[in-house]
Amino acid sequence: MYLICESDNLEDYLLELNEINNSNPLIKSKVDELFNPSQSEIEKAEVAFEFVRDGISHSWDIQGKRVTCNASDVLTYKEGICFAKSHLLASLLRSQGIPTGFCYQRLMLFDTPEKGYCIHALNAVYLKELNKWQRLDARGNKKGIDAQFSIDEEKLAFTPQEKFGEKDYPIIYRKPHPKTIAALKEQTDVLELYKYHLPESL
Protein backbone atom coordinates (compact mmCIF):
# COMPACT_ATOMS: atom_id res chain seq x y z
CA MET A 1 0.00 0.00 0.00
CA TYR A 2 1.56 3.32 -1.11
CA LEU A 3 0.70 5.89 1.53
CA ILE A 4 0.48 9.63 0.86
CA CYS A 5 1.02 12.14 3.67
CA GLU A 6 -1.52 14.93 3.84
CA SER A 7 1.32 17.11 5.17
CA ASP A 8 5.08 16.92 4.62
CA ASN A 9 5.66 18.40 8.08
CA LEU A 10 5.91 15.69 10.72
CA GLU A 11 5.06 18.27 13.39
CA ASP A 12 1.53 18.32 11.99
CA TYR A 13 1.18 14.70 13.14
CA LEU A 14 2.06 15.64 16.73
CA LEU A 15 -0.57 18.33 17.31
CA GLU A 16 -2.92 18.16 20.25
CA LEU A 17 -6.56 18.42 19.14
CA ASN A 18 -9.94 18.36 20.86
CA GLU A 19 -10.20 14.64 20.16
CA ILE A 20 -6.50 13.95 20.74
CA ASN A 21 -6.31 15.55 24.18
CA ASN A 22 -3.04 14.16 25.46
CA SER A 23 -2.58 16.87 28.10
CA ASN A 24 -5.69 15.52 29.87
CA PRO A 25 -4.72 14.20 33.35
CA LEU A 26 -6.19 10.76 32.62
CA ILE A 27 -4.12 10.45 29.46
CA LYS A 28 -1.03 11.64 31.32
CA SER A 29 -1.59 9.04 34.03
CA LYS A 30 -1.90 6.24 31.47
CA VAL A 31 1.19 7.52 29.67
CA ASP A 32 3.17 7.27 32.93
CA GLU A 33 1.89 3.73 33.37
CA LEU A 34 2.64 2.53 29.84
CA PHE A 35 5.93 4.17 29.00
CA ASN A 36 9.39 4.58 30.48
CA PRO A 37 12.57 6.27 29.25
CA SER A 38 14.34 2.97 28.53
CA GLN A 39 11.83 1.99 25.85
CA SER A 40 12.66 2.52 22.20
CA GLU A 41 10.24 4.31 19.92
CA ILE A 42 9.20 1.00 18.38
CA GLU A 43 8.63 -0.53 21.81
CA LYS A 44 6.46 2.42 22.81
CA ALA A 45 4.42 2.07 19.63
CA GLU A 46 3.87 -1.61 20.30
CA VAL A 47 2.90 -1.09 23.96
CA ALA A 48 0.41 1.64 23.07
CA PHE A 49 -1.05 -0.34 20.17
CA GLU A 50 -1.57 -3.47 22.25
CA PHE A 51 -3.13 -1.49 25.08
CA VAL A 52 -5.69 0.18 22.81
CA ARG A 53 -6.35 -3.01 20.85
CA ASP A 54 -6.82 -5.23 23.90
CA GLY A 55 -7.58 -2.87 26.79
CA ILE A 56 -10.32 -0.85 25.10
CA SER A 57 -13.41 -2.78 23.98
CA HIS A 58 -14.91 -2.21 20.55
CA SER A 59 -18.42 -0.95 21.26
CA TRP A 60 -20.08 -3.21 18.69
CA ASP A 61 -18.34 -6.32 20.04
CA ILE A 62 -19.66 -5.71 23.55
CA GLN A 63 -22.97 -4.25 22.32
CA GLY A 64 -22.34 -1.11 24.33
CA LYS A 65 -24.52 1.98 24.15
CA ARG A 66 -22.15 4.84 24.93
CA VAL A 67 -20.64 6.94 22.13
CA THR A 68 -17.08 7.97 22.98
CA CYS A 69 -14.99 10.37 20.92
CA ASN A 70 -12.23 12.21 22.77
CA ALA A 71 -9.23 10.12 23.74
CA SER A 72 -9.80 10.79 27.44
CA ASP A 73 -13.42 9.56 27.23
CA VAL A 74 -12.33 6.42 25.40
CA LEU A 75 -9.85 5.80 28.19
CA THR A 76 -12.38 6.59 30.94
CA TYR A 77 -15.09 4.25 29.67
CA LYS A 78 -12.71 1.74 28.07
CA GLU A 79 -14.83 1.41 24.95
CA GLY A 80 -15.28 2.96 21.54
CA ILE A 81 -15.72 2.18 17.88
CA CYS A 82 -12.71 2.26 15.55
CA PHE A 83 -12.90 6.05 15.11
CA ALA A 84 -12.65 6.60 18.85
CA LYS A 85 -9.97 3.98 19.41
CA SER A 86 -7.81 5.63 16.74
CA HIS A 87 -8.08 8.90 18.70
CA LEU A 88 -6.72 7.26 21.84
CA LEU A 89 -3.82 5.55 20.09
CA ALA A 90 -2.87 8.83 18.43
CA SER A 91 -3.06 10.63 21.76
CA LEU A 92 -0.80 8.15 23.53
CA LEU A 93 1.81 8.14 20.77
CA ARG A 94 1.77 11.87 20.11
CA SER A 95 2.43 12.37 23.81
CA GLN A 96 5.74 10.57 23.21
CA GLY A 97 6.68 12.63 20.19
CA ILE A 98 5.82 9.82 17.78
CA PRO A 99 4.06 11.23 14.69
CA THR A 100 0.69 9.54 14.31
CA GLY A 101 -1.94 10.07 11.63
CA PHE A 102 -5.31 8.69 10.62
CA CYS A 103 -6.02 6.30 7.76
CA TYR A 104 -9.31 4.94 6.46
CA GLN A 105 -10.79 2.03 4.59
CA ARG A 106 -14.18 1.64 2.92
CA LEU A 107 -15.60 -1.74 3.91
CA MET A 108 -18.85 -3.64 3.77
CA LEU A 109 -20.68 -2.91 7.00
CA PHE A 110 -21.60 -6.54 7.50
CA ASP A 111 -21.01 -9.38 5.04
CA THR A 112 -22.62 -8.39 1.74
CA PRO A 113 -22.76 -5.21 -0.38
CA GLU A 114 -26.54 -5.16 -0.02
CA LYS A 115 -26.16 -4.47 3.71
CA GLY A 116 -24.25 -1.28 3.01
CA TYR A 117 -20.78 0.13 3.51
CA CYS A 118 -18.93 2.02 6.21
CA ILE A 119 -15.71 3.88 6.78
CA HIS A 120 -13.22 2.12 9.04
CA ALA A 121 -10.49 4.05 10.87
CA LEU A 122 -6.96 3.00 11.72
CA ASN A 123 -3.68 4.79 12.37
CA ALA A 124 -0.38 5.31 10.63
CA VAL A 125 2.70 5.79 12.79
CA TYR A 126 6.00 7.29 11.65
CA LEU A 127 8.90 5.34 13.11
CA LYS A 128 12.08 7.38 12.88
CA GLU A 129 14.27 4.34 13.52
CA LEU A 130 12.94 2.79 10.33
CA ASN A 131 12.30 6.03 8.42
CA LYS A 132 8.85 4.90 7.38
CA TRP A 133 5.16 5.09 8.11
CA GLN A 134 3.50 1.92 9.35
CA ARG A 135 -0.26 1.39 9.48
CA LEU A 136 -1.62 -0.14 12.68
CA ASP A 137 -5.22 -1.16 13.39
CA ALA A 138 -6.17 -1.20 17.07
CA ARG A 139 -9.84 -2.00 16.37
CA GLY A 140 -9.70 -5.07 18.61
CA ASN A 141 -9.43 -8.71 17.68
CA LYS A 142 -12.14 -11.36 17.69
CA LYS A 143 -12.96 -14.46 15.66
CA GLY A 144 -11.91 -13.72 12.10
CA ILE A 145 -9.92 -10.58 13.00
CA ASP A 146 -6.26 -10.81 13.98
CA ALA A 147 -4.53 -7.44 13.76
CA GLN A 148 -0.98 -7.41 15.08
CA PHE A 149 1.86 -4.97 15.66
CA SER A 150 4.26 -5.41 12.77
CA ILE A 151 7.11 -3.29 11.45
CA ASP A 152 7.52 -5.41 8.33
CA GLU A 153 4.36 -6.48 6.54
CA GLU A 154 1.04 -4.99 7.54
CA LYS A 155 -1.14 -7.15 9.76
CA LEU A 156 -4.39 -5.21 9.78
CA ALA A 157 -7.88 -6.15 10.89
CA PHE A 158 -9.27 -6.04 7.34
CA THR A 159 -8.06 -6.48 3.77
CA PRO A 160 -10.39 -4.59 1.42
CA GLN A 161 -11.97 -6.67 -1.32
CA GLU A 162 -12.02 -4.39 -4.34
CA LYS A 163 -14.39 -6.66 -6.27
CA PHE A 164 -17.05 -5.80 -3.66
CA GLY A 165 -16.38 -2.06 -3.73
CA GLU A 166 -14.12 -2.00 -0.69
CA LYS A 167 -10.98 0.13 -0.79
CA ASP A 168 -7.99 1.53 1.04
CA TYR A 169 -7.71 5.31 1.13
CA PRO A 170 -3.99 6.15 0.72
CA ILE A 171 -3.97 9.48 2.59
CA ILE A 172 -2.43 9.75 6.07
CA TYR A 173 -4.51 12.53 7.61
CA ARG A 174 -3.20 14.92 10.28
CA LYS A 175 -6.60 15.06 11.97
CA PRO A 176 -9.54 12.69 12.25
CA HIS A 177 -11.73 13.06 9.17
CA PRO A 178 -14.63 15.50 9.69
CA LYS A 179 -17.16 12.88 8.59
CA THR A 180 -16.05 10.54 11.38
CA ILE A 181 -16.16 13.29 14.00
CA ALA A 182 -19.63 14.35 12.85
CA ALA A 183 -20.90 10.79 13.13
CA LEU A 184 -19.66 10.54 16.73
CA LYS A 185 -20.95 13.96 17.74
CA GLU A 186 -24.42 13.60 16.23
CA GLN A 187 -25.38 10.25 17.75
CA THR A 188 -26.04 9.20 21.35
CA ASP A 189 -26.54 5.44 20.90
CA VAL A 190 -23.46 3.73 19.50
CA LEU A 191 -25.40 0.70 18.21
CA GLU A 192 -27.73 2.95 16.22
CA LEU A 193 -24.69 4.85 15.00
CA TYR A 194 -22.97 1.65 13.91
CA LYS A 195 -25.97 0.21 12.08
CA TYR A 196 -27.37 3.32 10.42
CA HIS A 197 -25.19 6.41 10.64
CA LEU A 198 -21.59 5.55 9.80
CA PRO A 199 -20.28 7.43 6.76
CA GLU A 200 -20.16 5.19 3.67
CA SER A 201 -17.30 6.98 1.93
CA LEU A 202 -14.89 9.87 2.40
Side-chain angles (χ1 to χ4, degrees):
M1 178 68 191
Y2 181 73
L3 299 171
I4 302 168
C5 291
E6 183 184 27
S7 170
D8 293 328
N9 184 359
L10 285 176
E11 294 296 318
D12 287 342
Y13 294 94
L14 292 171
L15 295 175
E16 180 164 9
L17 310 166
N18 287 336
E19 299 80 24
I20 319 302
N21 54 343
N22 35 289
S23 63
N24 180 279
L26 287 171
I27 299 291
K28 286 184 171 182
S29 177
K30 180 54 69 172
V31 161
D32 291 341
E33 181 185 320
L34 291 175
F35 305 127
N36 65 71
S38 70
Q39 292 168 322
S40 70
E41 186 181 68
I42 292 173
E43 287 171 333
K44 288 182 176 182
E46 184 171 11
V47 165
F49 166 77
E50 290 184 349
F51 167 70
V52 177
R53 183 193 65 187
D54 302 336
I56 307 295
S57 299
H58 189 286
S59 302
W60 180 258
D61 294 350
I62 62 170
Q63 293 291 284
K65 289 283 189 180
R66 187 186 301 275
V67 179
T68 56
C69 180
N70 296 351
S72 57
D73 287 342
V74 180
L75 183 59
T76 297
Y77 298 109
K78 293 188 166 47
E79 67 173 278
I81 63 170
C82 58
F83 303 163
K85 294 187 72 170
S86 74
H87 299 168
L88 178 56
L89 182 55
S91 182
L92 294 171
L93 293 179
R94 288 185 180 191
S95 80
Q96 299 302 292
I98 300 174
T100 307
F102 302 89
C103 292
Y104 299 95
Q105 297 173 324
R106 181 180 192 253
L107 303 172
M108 290 183 287
L109 181 56
F110 293 110
D111 52 357
T112 65
E114 294 75 29
K115 294 178 182 177
Y117 291 85
C118 67
I119 291 301
H120 173 64
L122 55 155
N123 295 98
V125 178
Y126 183 74
L127 299 170
K128 297 185 187 73
E129 294 175 45
L130 306 176
N131 190 31
K132 71 171 185 176
W133 287 92
Q134 187 72 32
R135 287 195 302 175
L136 300 173
D137 191 341
R139 177 229 179 269
N141 292 339
K142 62 178 184 177
K143 185 178 180 181
I145 296 177
D146 185 27
Q148 300 294 330
F149 182 85
S150 174
I151 57 174
D152 301 315
E153 61 178 330
E154 290 185 334
K155 296 183 179 178
L156 305 179
F158 305 104
T159 301
Q161 303 176 79
E162 293 184 6
K163 65 182 179 181
F164 293 123
E166 298 184 329
K167 65 181 289 186
D168 272 307
Y169 291 96
I171 304 296
I172 304 173
Y173 292 92
R174 298 169 297 151
K175 303 176 181 179
H177 195 280
K179 284 189 176 183
T180 66
I181 298 300
L184 294 174
K185 296 292 189 185
E186 292 168 6
Q187 302 299 319
T188 56
D189 182 325
V190 78
L191 299 183
E192 291 295 303
L193 163 62
Y194 195 88
K195 288 187 286 188
Y196 304 116
H197 301 291
L198 292 177
E200 294 191 0
S201 62
L202 293 184

